[in-house]
Amino acid sequence: MSYGAIEQEEIFAGGEWLTPHAAARIELESPVDFRRTGGAVDGDERDVDTAVRAAREAFDHGPWPRMSPEERAGWLERLADEIERRADATVSLVTTEIGQPVSIARPWAGIRPIAHLRFYAQLLRRPDAVEEVRENAMRPGTTIVQHEPLGVAALIVPWNHPQASTTLKLAPALAAGSTVVVKPAPESPLDISNMAEASTAIGMPPGVINIVTGGRETGRALVQHPGVDKVGFTGSSAAGRDIAAQAGAQLKPATLELGGKSAAILLGDADLDAVMGALRVSSFENTGQTCALMARVLVPRAAHDEVVDRLVALARDLRVGDPSDPATELGPLVSRRIHDRVSGMVSRAAADGATLLAGDSDLPDTGYYVAPTIVTGAVPSSEIAQEEVFGPVVSVFAYDDLDDAVALANNSRYGLAGSVFGDPDEALSVARRVRTGSIGINGYKPDLNTPYGGYGDSGLGREFAIEGLRNFQEVKSIWR
């Protein structure tokens, strides 16, 4: 399925689609063929205020935060069921909107969002989800530790996995009893409407989910609004710093999931066939437009050339093309801005003395395509080694011993993800020394029941698991 131009003319607040105050529009262009695919409201401060006031009313006076955990769990499951009924159309819309290959959009937009909602519905049924009882340490008796709904949460989500990134915040926020205002990225303002439509279809209380589309100024107005109690953001480290400063000035808690420059460390006994199978996904999925990808591959010096040859063969074997074709693995980059940024970084790496390999795949005649590229010989302090590329570009570095490998892995201001390939016991020993929020042994597959987030410039706080729920709860101790 493909879509003609879609015009999103309204904001969603208080359970209704409302005419916005702003006259400005976001114009959308297909990254495949440059045709106009639609437009959306570029919300202003008054539109943000409308949405926040609706969320505030729903939290302060509505039933949502006053429901039992079991009641909210039931609503989350009904929302998941309704979104599942719309999954095929949502997947197709995401592919049209951002050029994400349908093979990637199907799990990320059609399966994971539903799993997130159902996971948090089940988590709500845990005895410790909203209340714990602890023995006192300094006097007889016990203390009830009560986890209460926090309030109105601003959820600012990215374009690269718009549906899953939304529900990773939306599901725990709703489970906690908070109400939300969602602001999608300006590159992907259309697909979020499925959340609004699904919530309306099941009769969810008005004001629990509210949506304002727009750009950076819309997000700034949302973060600064005095009616917002919590900010959840996924995006660049630069934007994260700005949001942290705004939230901090108001003593407003913020959870920030930011960029990455993750390293895959290959030990001397690594099974290279298995490594290449893993890196096909963990280094190139979504055309390299995922923050947790393994953008650096660290290899023993003696194995460097063989690994490079295999990576070059892998890069050339990746199928680049029409994202609506189920066989396509890599599609276009999302926009001219991202295309020019990635191309510029690759060109500067070559000018700085690095060697570019592969990068010669056949590409469609139109579209923001970049051929998958392997970079060798870059200086570890160079731009290509230190900055997040957000495209199908992988850099390879040789190391002399394990201390050198760990030092290279940690030579980054980021610390989001990582992986170590080789004997599981030795790989675990190395993994413990890498400063990163999550790391895999012989692969990288984060689990929803474990905390996820980063060190350093990769963010603040953790998502997933019960930690995600706690992001949207206040804590009260009742001493007895």
Side-chain angles (χ1 to χ4, degrees):
M1 180 187 294
S2 62
Y3 289 83
I6 299 174
E7 307 302 331
Q8 183 58 265
E9 305 283 359
E10 299 167 309
I11 64 171
F12 185 73
E16 299 180 285
W17 290 104
L18 302 175
T19 301
H21 173 266
R25 302 277 294 165
I26 299 168
E27 296 296 328
L28 301 176
E29 173 191 67
S30 167
V32 176
D33 57 16
F34 311 140
R35 65 184 170 84
R36 185 179 180 280
T37 54
V41 175
D42 190 358
D44 64 12
E45 289 183 358
R46 294 191 190 182
D47 298 319
V48 167
D49 183 65
T50 297
V52 173
R53 285 180 181 274
R56 188 83 260 164
E57 175 67 20
F59 184 81
D60 291 341
H61 304 292
W64 191 256
R66 295 159 187 84
M67 290 180 183
S68 69
E70 181 60 42
E71 287 175 311
R72 283 200 299 272
W75 278 108
L76 288 178
E77 288 169 338
R78 288 192 287 277
L79 184 62
D81 291 344
E82 186 63 31
I83 289 173
E84 186 171 35
R85 281 190 278 274
R86 302 164 184 267
D88 288 346
T90 302
V91 167
S92 184
L93 178 54
V94 168
T95 295
T96 299
E97 189 177 33
I98 63 171
Q100 185 174 73
V102 69
S103 61
I104 307 301
R106 190 168 290 116
W108 282 92
I111 297 174
R112 295 190 186 194
I114 299 155
H116 296 162
L117 289 161
R118 289 176 177 159
F119 173 85
Y120 279 100
Q122 284 300 108
L123 193 150
L124 262 182
R125 296 182 171 106
R126 278 176 42 171
D128 63 342
V130 298
E131 190 170 289
E132 307 169 63
V133 178
R134 300 184 188 178
E135 293 291 330
N136 292 336
M138 300 178 66
R139 61 182 60 87
T142 59
T143 295
I144 298 170
V145 180
Q146 187 168 307
H147 301 280
E148 300 180 340
L150 192 155
V152 174
L155 309 182
I156 303 176
V157 297
W159 52 262
N160 58 327
H161 293 297
Q163 288 284 309
S165 294
T166 297
T167 51
L168 275 173
K169 293 172 174 55
L170 180 80
L174 297 186
S178 292
T179 59
V180 304
V181 179
V182 183
K183 192 204 83 68
E187 293 86 352
S188 56
L190 302 178
D191 64 274
I192 191 64
S193 63
N194 83 316
M195 301 287 179
E197 293 163 357
S199 70
T200 300
I202 65 171
M204 183 171 277
V208 174
I209 297 176
N210 307 275
I211 299 167
V212 180
T213 55
R216 179 170 296 182
E217 292 307 312
T218 312
R220 184 181 295 272
L222 183 55
V223 172
Q224 293 179 343
H225 197 291
V228 168
D229 302 302
K230 162 76 183 186
V231 179
F233 171 75
T234 296
S236 72
S237 298
R241 283 193 189 90
D242 189 38
I243 287 172
Q246 296 171 54
Q250 304 168 76
L251 296 180
K252 186 179 294 184
T255 303
L256 309 174
E257 199 269 280
L258 308 177
K261 191 70 176 181
S262 302
I265 302 174
L266 279 56
L267 304 183
D269 62 349
D271 179 340
L272 294 187
D273 289 336
V275 169
M276 294 304 137
L279 294 184
R280 190 179 194 102
V281 175
S282 63
S283 289
F284 291 101
E285 187 182 45
N286 199 33
T287 320
Q289 298 173 119
T290 299
C291 53
L293 292 185
M294 306 297 117
R296 297 180 293 151
V297 177
L298 314 184
V299 303
R301 196 167 298 279
H304 176 270
D305 292 351
E306 181 183 359
V307 171
V308 167
D309 288 345
R310 283 174 171 259
L311 282 170
V312 168
L314 167 60
R316 287 175 171 157
D317 189 55
L318 290 164
R319 181 161 178 173
V320 184
D322 179 358
S324 67
D325 182 345
T328 294
E329 294 173 274
L330 273 64
L333 299 178
V334 71
S335 67
R336 180 182 299 275
R337 177 178 67 85
I338 298 297
H339 177 273
D340 291 350
R341 180 178 182 275
V342 171
S343 299
M345 291 182 72
V346 171
S347 296
R348 288 192 295 276
D352 289 342
T355 300
L356 307 183
L357 301 171
D360 52 3
S361 303
D362 289 336
L363 302 178
D365 293 335
T366 61
Y368 296 125
Y369 290 91
V370 170
T373 301
I374 307 300
V375 179
T376 66
V379 177
S381 61
S382 64
E383 178 191 50
I384 199 70
Q386 292 292 323
E387 299 297 328
E388 187 174 37
V389 178
F390 231 59
V393 180
V394 172
S395 299
V396 184
F397 300 90
Y399 66 82
D400 296 314
D401 55 31
L402 290 184
D403 288 343
D404 187 29
V406 171
L408 280 170
N410 289 336
N411 180 24
S412 174
R413 69 177 192 272
Y414 296 107
L416 183 60
S419 54
V420 186
F421 293 87
D423 172 77
D425 291 334
E426 186 176 23
L428 177 59
S429 177
V430 172
R432 292 186 188 278
R433 299 170 62 191
V434 179
R435 290 191 54 77
T436 188
S438 60
I439 190 165
I441 306 299
N442 290 315
Y444 182 76
K445 294 183 179 179
D447 186 83
L448 189 55
N449 199 36
T450 56
Y452 175 82
Y455 291 13
D457 279 16
S458 288
L460 296 173
R462 295 294 182 268
E463 296 186 309
F464 293 23
I466 198 164
E467 286 81 0
L469 183 69
R470 298 290 187 242
N471 287 333
F472 300 97
Q473 293 174 318
E474 287 281 20
V475 181
K476 176 189 290 180
S477 293
I478 305 175
W479 295 309
R480 296 191 292 187

